[in-house]
mmCIF file of all heavy atoms in Angstrom:
data_model
loop_
_atom_site.group_PDB
_atom_site.id
_atom_site.type_symbol
_atom_site.label_atom_id
_atom_site.label_comp_id
_atom_site.label_asym_id
_atom_site.label_seq_id
_atom_site.Cartn_x
_atom_site.Cartn_y
_atom_site.Cartn_z
ATOM 1 N N ILE A 6 2.809 13.895 4.607
ATOM 2 C CA ILE A 6 3.350 15.249 4.731
ATOM 3 C C ILE A 6 3.355 15.597 6.218
ATOM 4 O O ILE A 6 2.306 15.547 6.865
ATOM 5 C CB ILE A 6 2.504 16.263 3.942
ATOM 6 C CG1 ILE A 6 2.435 15.855 2.473
ATOM 7 C CG2 ILE A 6 3.071 17.675 4.112
ATOM 8 C CD1 ILE A 6 1.453 16.658 1.645
ATOM 9 N N SER A 7 4.532 15.916 6.736
ATOM 10 C CA SER A 7 4.625 16.241 8.160
ATOM 11 C C SER A 7 4.583 17.746 8.370
ATOM 12 O O SER A 7 5.116 18.515 7.571
ATOM 13 C CB SER A 7 5.895 15.666 8.779
ATOM 14 O OG SER A 7 7.029 16.405 8.400
ATOM 15 N N GLU A 8 3.942 18.137 9.445
ATOM 16 C CA GLU A 8 3.862 19.538 9.873
ATOM 17 C C GLU A 8 4.315 19.565 11.328
ATOM 18 O O GLU A 8 3.520 19.315 12.242
ATOM 19 C CB GLU A 8 2.425 20.046 9.740
ATOM 20 C CG GLU A 8 2.229 21.499 10.084
ATOM 21 C CD GLU A 8 2.782 22.419 9.025
ATOM 22 O OE1 GLU A 8 2.770 22.047 7.839
ATOM 23 O OE2 GLU A 8 3.229 23.522 9.396
ATOM 24 N N PRO A 9 5.624 19.814 11.585
ATOM 25 C CA PRO A 9 6.136 19.790 12.954
ATOM 26 C C PRO A 9 5.488 20.854 13.840
ATOM 27 O O PRO A 9 5.000 21.877 13.350
ATOM 28 C CB PRO A 9 7.620 20.083 12.787
ATOM 29 C CG PRO A 9 7.929 19.780 11.376
ATOM 30 C CD PRO A 9 6.673 20.076 10.612
ATOM 31 N N ARG A 10 5.509 20.556 15.131
ATOM 32 C CA ARG A 10 5.014 21.552 16.087
ATOM 33 C C ARG A 10 5.822 22.830 15.930
ATOM 34 O O ARG A 10 7.008 22.787 15.590
ATOM 35 C CB ARG A 10 5.151 21.040 17.518
ATOM 36 C CG ARG A 10 4.188 19.967 17.858
ATOM 37 C CD ARG A 10 4.140 19.691 19.343
ATOM 38 N NE ARG A 10 5.444 19.678 19.982
ATOM 39 C CZ ARG A 10 5.731 19.003 21.078
ATOM 40 N NH1 ARG A 10 4.808 18.260 21.656
ATOM 41 N NH2 ARG A 10 6.927 19.051 21.622
ATOM 42 N N PRO A 11 5.205 23.965 16.208
ATOM 43 C CA PRO A 11 5.907 25.253 16.023
ATOM 44 C C PRO A 11 6.865 25.570 17.169
ATOM 45 O O PRO A 11 6.619 26.460 17.980
ATOM 46 C CB PRO A 11 4.758 26.258 15.948
ATOM 47 C CG PRO A 11 3.680 25.639 16.773
ATOM 48 C CD PRO A 11 3.813 24.155 16.571
ATOM 49 N N GLU A 12 7.936 24.811 17.239
ATOM 50 C CA GLU A 12 8.970 25.065 18.233
ATOM 51 C C GLU A 12 10.149 25.731 17.553
ATOM 52 O O GLU A 12 10.323 25.619 16.337
ATOM 53 C CB GLU A 12 9.404 23.752 18.887
ATOM 54 C CG GLU A 12 8.272 23.069 19.626
ATOM 55 C CD GLU A 12 8.638 21.685 20.116
ATOM 56 O OE1 GLU A 12 9.797 21.270 19.939
ATOM 57 O OE2 GLU A 12 7.757 21.020 20.664
ATOM 58 N N ARG A 13 10.964 26.391 18.335
ATOM 59 C CA ARG A 13 12.157 27.014 17.759
ATOM 60 C C ARG A 13 13.063 25.921 17.196
ATOM 61 O O ARG A 13 13.393 24.966 17.901
ATOM 62 C CB ARG A 13 12.896 27.804 18.824
ATOM 63 C CG ARG A 13 12.146 29.034 19.282
ATOM 64 C CD ARG A 13 12.899 29.754 20.353
ATOM 65 N NE ARG A 13 14.269 29.999 19.889
ATOM 66 C CZ ARG A 13 15.192 30.564 20.638
ATOM 67 N NH1 ARG A 13 14.941 30.920 21.865
ATOM 68 N NH2 ARG A 13 16.392 30.758 20.157
ATOM 69 N N PRO A 14 13.446 26.026 15.927
ATOM 70 C CA PRO A 14 14.301 25.004 15.329
ATOM 71 C C PRO A 14 15.574 24.738 16.135
ATOM 72 O O PRO A 14 16.006 23.597 16.262
ATOM 73 C CB PRO A 14 14.620 25.556 13.947
ATOM 74 C CG PRO A 14 13.464 26.428 13.624
ATOM 75 C CD PRO A 14 13.061 27.044 14.949
ATOM 76 N N SER A 15 16.158 25.773 16.709
ATOM 77 C CA SER A 15 17.389 25.582 17.472
ATOM 78 C C SER A 15 17.148 24.775 18.751
ATOM 79 O O SER A 15 18.054 24.098 19.240
ATOM 80 C CB SER A 15 18.032 26.926 17.808
ATOM 81 O OG SER A 15 17.127 27.723 18.563
ATOM 82 N N ASP A 16 15.920 24.813 19.277
ATOM 83 C CA ASP A 16 15.607 24.056 20.493
ATOM 84 C C ASP A 16 15.498 22.557 20.231
ATOM 85 O O ASP A 16 15.661 21.758 21.153
ATOM 86 C CB ASP A 16 14.293 24.542 21.114
ATOM 87 C CG ASP A 16 14.408 25.928 21.731
ATOM 88 O OD1 ASP A 16 15.546 26.404 21.933
ATOM 89 O OD2 ASP A 16 13.351 26.536 22.005
ATOM 90 N N VAL A 17 15.216 22.164 19.001
ATOM 91 C CA VAL A 17 15.030 20.743 18.695
ATOM 92 C C VAL A 17 16.084 20.205 17.722
ATOM 93 O O VAL A 17 15.994 19.071 17.275
ATOM 94 C CB VAL A 17 13.606 20.477 18.134
ATOM 95 C CG1 VAL A 17 12.563 20.735 19.207
ATOM 96 C CG2 VAL A 17 13.338 21.300 16.894
ATOM 97 N N ALA A 18 17.095 21.002 17.417
ATOM 98 C CA ALA A 18 18.105 20.603 16.428
ATOM 99 C C ALA A 18 18.802 19.305 16.816
ATOM 100 O O ALA A 18 19.004 18.428 15.965
ATOM 101 C CB ALA A 18 19.128 21.720 16.239
ATOM 102 N N VAL A 20 17.728 16.794 18.695
ATOM 103 C CA VAL A 20 16.803 15.670 18.545
ATOM 104 C C VAL A 20 16.572 15.370 17.069
ATOM 105 O O VAL A 20 16.524 14.208 16.661
ATOM 106 C CB VAL A 20 15.467 15.985 19.257
ATOM 107 C CG1 VAL A 20 14.443 14.910 18.990
ATOM 108 C CG2 VAL A 20 15.688 16.156 20.743
ATOM 109 N N ARG A 21 16.463 16.415 16.249
ATOM 110 C CA ARG A 21 16.204 16.234 14.815
ATOM 111 C C ARG A 21 17.340 15.502 14.114
ATOM 112 O O ARG A 21 17.109 14.846 13.101
ATOM 113 C CB ARG A 21 15.968 17.590 14.149
ATOM 114 C CG ARG A 21 14.638 18.204 14.551
ATOM 115 C CD ARG A 21 14.432 19.595 13.974
ATOM 116 N NE ARG A 21 14.689 19.641 12.559
ATOM 117 C CZ ARG A 21 15.249 20.686 11.939
ATOM 118 N NH1 ARG A 21 15.596 21.755 12.597
ATOM 119 N NH2 ARG A 21 15.439 20.650 10.645
ATOM 120 N N ARG A 43 10.960 19.610 3.528
ATOM 121 C CA ARG A 43 10.213 20.739 2.981
ATOM 122 C C ARG A 43 10.970 22.019 3.289
ATOM 123 O O ARG A 43 11.703 22.095 4.271
ATOM 124 C CB ARG A 43 8.818 20.801 3.601
ATOM 125 C CG ARG A 43 7.957 19.621 3.192
ATOM 126 C CD ARG A 43 6.618 19.599 3.896
ATOM 127 N NE ARG A 43 5.941 20.867 3.795
ATOM 128 C CZ ARG A 43 5.034 21.278 4.669
ATOM 129 N NH1 ARG A 43 4.707 20.538 5.709
ATOM 130 N NH2 ARG A 43 4.447 22.440 4.513
ATOM 131 N N GLY A 45 11.721 25.235 4.920
ATOM 132 C CA GLY A 45 11.301 25.699 6.236
ATOM 133 C C GLY A 45 11.296 24.558 7.233
ATOM 134 O O GLY A 45 12.284 24.321 7.909
ATOM 135 N N ARG A 46 10.204 23.822 7.278
ATOM 136 C CA ARG A 46 10.068 22.743 8.254
ATOM 137 C C ARG A 46 9.262 21.604 7.676
ATOM 138 O O ARG A 46 8.415 21.802 6.830
ATOM 139 C CB ARG A 46 9.363 23.259 9.499
ATOM 140 C CG ARG A 46 10.057 24.453 10.108
ATOM 141 C CD ARG A 46 9.412 24.804 11.376
ATOM 142 N NE ARG A 46 9.653 23.652 12.261
ATOM 143 C CZ ARG A 46 9.584 23.701 13.562
ATOM 144 N NH1 ARG A 46 9.272 24.806 14.143
ATOM 145 N NH2 ARG A 46 9.812 22.642 14.289
ATOM 146 N N GLY A 47 9.505 20.416 8.186
ATOM 147 C CA GLY A 47 8.714 19.257 7.808
ATOM 148 C C GLY A 47 9.356 18.456 6.692
ATOM 149 O O GLY A 47 10.460 18.752 6.228
ATOM 150 N N ALA A 48 8.631 17.430 6.279
ATOM 151 C CA ALA A 48 9.117 16.540 5.226
ATOM 152 C C ALA A 48 7.933 15.948 4.475
ATOM 153 O O ALA A 48 6.798 15.950 4.962
ATOM 154 C CB ALA A 48 9.968 15.422 5.822
ATOM 155 N N TRP A 67 7.999 8.333 14.218
ATOM 156 C CA TRP A 67 8.403 9.632 13.682
ATOM 157 C C TRP A 67 8.032 10.730 14.665
ATOM 158 O O TRP A 67 8.851 11.593 14.998
ATOM 159 C CB TRP A 67 7.708 9.831 12.343
ATOM 160 C CG TRP A 67 8.070 11.044 11.529
ATOM 161 C CD1 TRP A 67 8.599 12.216 11.969
ATOM 162 C CD2 TRP A 67 7.895 11.196 10.128
ATOM 163 N NE1 TRP A 67 8.764 13.092 10.920
ATOM 164 C CE2 TRP A 67 8.335 12.475 9.775
ATOM 165 C CE3 TRP A 67 7.393 10.366 9.134
ATOM 166 C CZ2 TRP A 67 8.287 12.957 8.478
ATOM 167 C CZ3 TRP A 67 7.353 10.845 7.837
ATOM 168 C CH2 TRP A 67 7.798 12.122 7.501
ATOM 169 N N ALA A 68 6.796 10.698 15.166
ATOM 170 C CA ALA A 68 6.326 11.729 16.085
ATOM 171 C C ALA A 68 7.071 11.692 17.421
ATOM 172 O O ALA A 68 7.162 12.710 18.106
ATOM 173 C CB ALA A 68 4.823 11.590 16.311
ATOM 174 N N ASP A 69 7.613 10.534 17.797
ATOM 175 C CA ASP A 69 8.447 10.473 19.000
ATOM 176 C C ASP A 69 9.754 11.218 18.794
ATOM 177 O O ASP A 69 10.310 11.769 19.736
ATOM 178 C CB ASP A 69 8.741 9.022 19.381
ATOM 179 C CG ASP A 69 7.685 8.421 20.282
ATOM 180 O OD1 ASP A 69 6.876 9.179 20.851
ATOM 181 O OD2 ASP A 69 7.667 7.190 20.413
ATOM 182 N N ILE A 70 10.256 11.225 17.575
ATOM 183 C CA ILE A 70 11.502 11.938 17.274
ATOM 184 C C ILE A 70 11.218 13.419 17.053
ATOM 185 O O ILE A 70 11.880 14.283 17.631
ATOM 186 C CB ILE A 70 12.192 11.337 16.028
ATOM 187 C CG1 ILE A 70 12.544 9.869 16.285
ATOM 188 C CG2 ILE A 70 13.445 12.141 15.662
ATOM 189 C CD1 ILE A 70 12.949 9.104 15.039
ATOM 190 N N ILE A 71 10.254 13.706 16.193
ATOM 191 C CA ILE A 71 9.870 15.081 15.879
ATOM 192 C C ILE A 71 8.349 15.175 15.995
ATOM 193 O O ILE A 71 7.634 14.745 15.071
ATOM 194 C CB ILE A 71 10.308 15.489 14.450
ATOM 195 C CG1 ILE A 71 11.811 15.342 14.289
ATOM 196 C CG2 ILE A 71 9.855 16.923 14.151
ATOM 197 C CD1 ILE A 71 12.315 15.567 12.880
ATOM 198 N N PRO A 72 7.829 15.688 17.102
ATOM 199 C CA PRO A 72 6.376 15.807 17.233
ATOM 200 C C PRO A 72 5.796 16.612 16.073
ATOM 201 O O PRO A 72 6.275 17.695 15.748
ATOM 202 C CB PRO A 72 6.198 16.541 18.564
ATOM 203 C CG PRO A 72 7.437 16.206 19.339
ATOM 204 C CD PRO A 72 8.530 16.146 18.294
ATOM 205 N N ALA A 73 4.798 16.014 15.425
ATOM 206 C CA ALA A 73 4.253 16.632 14.214
ATOM 207 C C ALA A 73 2.825 16.157 13.974
ATOM 208 O O ALA A 73 2.384 15.150 14.520
ATOM 209 C CB ALA A 73 5.122 16.272 13.011
ATOM 210 N N ARG A 74 2.146 16.897 13.124
ATOM 211 C CA ARG A 74 0.858 16.483 12.575
ATOM 212 C C ARG A 74 1.161 15.920 11.196
ATOM 213 O O ARG A 74 2.044 16.413 10.487
ATOM 214 C CB ARG A 74 -0.074 17.694 12.448
ATOM 215 C CG ARG A 74 -1.454 17.364 11.922
ATOM 216 C CD ARG A 74 -2.305 18.631 11.826
ATOM 217 N NE ARG A 74 -1.807 19.543 10.815
ATOM 218 C CZ ARG A 74 -2.056 19.426 9.508
ATOM 219 N NH1 ARG A 74 -2.760 18.431 9.045
ATOM 220 N NH2 ARG A 74 -1.582 20.310 8.661
ATOM 221 N N PHE A 75 0.439 14.855 10.811
ATOM 222 C CA PHE A 75 0.699 14.219 9.527
ATOM 223 C C PHE A 75 -0.553 14.223 8.667
ATOM 224 O O PHE A 75 -1.631 13.849 9.134
ATOM 225 C CB PHE A 75 1.143 12.763 9.718
ATOM 226 C CG PHE A 75 2.396 12.624 10.523
ATOM 227 C CD1 PHE A 75 2.342 12.285 11.859
ATOM 228 C CD2 PHE A 75 3.632 12.838 9.934
ATOM 229 C CE1 PHE A 75 3.499 12.154 12.605
ATOM 230 C CE2 PHE A 75 4.800 12.712 10.672
ATOM 231 C CZ PHE A 75 4.726 12.372 12.013
#
Side-chain angles (χ1 to χ4, degrees):
I6 302 171
S7 75
E8 183 73 32
R10 288 192 318 207
E12 298 172 3
R13 291 179 52 183
S15 59
D16 290 345
V17 293
V20 174
R21 289 176 50 216
R43 293 175 51 205
R46 304 186 65 160
W67 186 337
D69 272 345
I70 299 168
I71 302 173
R74 182 180 67 81
F75 300 100

